[in-house]
Amino acid sequence: MKALSDADADAGVGSCAALALGAIADPKTVPLLMAVAGDAKQDAGLRCNVIHSLGRMKAAAATELMRKLLADDTEAVQVQAAIALYRLTGDKAKQFPAGYNAD
């Protein structure tokens, strides 16, 4: 969690930490992951990995955030939010990539 919190220093390390936290799937990490995902000042790649992890964890608390991120300025963030939203709710937003298997 410290590596993700210090992502300002190195987005690559933060991105790897985000994926590791998603694999571990500890619900205590959800608030930190959501804070990073919703912070438009963070690196887009980092945010995408955080969003991926929230979807992978099926973090229901992130559902409304994913809906909000569908309108993010960064297209990659929108796509990852659509995939995460599908994993959370089963709903496919227009940003969901055609042919993508999120199951």
Side-chain angles (χ1 to χ4, degrees):
M1 286 178 54
K2 181 166 177 27
L4 185 60
S5 298
D6 294 340
D8 287 338
D10 188 337
V13 171
S15 288
C16 290
L19 294 174
L21 290 173
I24 294 167
D26 184 342
K28 290 183 251 173
T29 64
V30 170
L32 175 60
L33 292 169
M34 288 177 58
V36 173
D39 185 355
K41 296 176 189 167
Q42 295 285 348
D43 176 78
L46 168 64
R47 293 176 70 212
C48 286
N49 283 348
V50 167
I51 294 165
H52 170 82
S53 290
L54 288 165
R56 180 177 183 187
M57 294 169 66
K58 297 193 189 291
T63 302
E64 288 308 311
L65 175 61
M66 293 308 124
R67 287 191 174 105
K68 178 183 170 194
L69 293 176
L70 293 173
D72 194 86
D73 290 339
T74 305
E75 184 178 350
V77 169
Q78 292 177 22
V79 170
Q80 283 302 315
I83 293 167
L85 187 61
Y86 174 75
R87 288 182 173 146
L88 295 170
T89 66
D91 297 336
K92 284 190 179 176
K94 68 178 181 175
Q95 296 87 338
F96 191 88
Y100 186 85
N101 183 3
D103 295 319

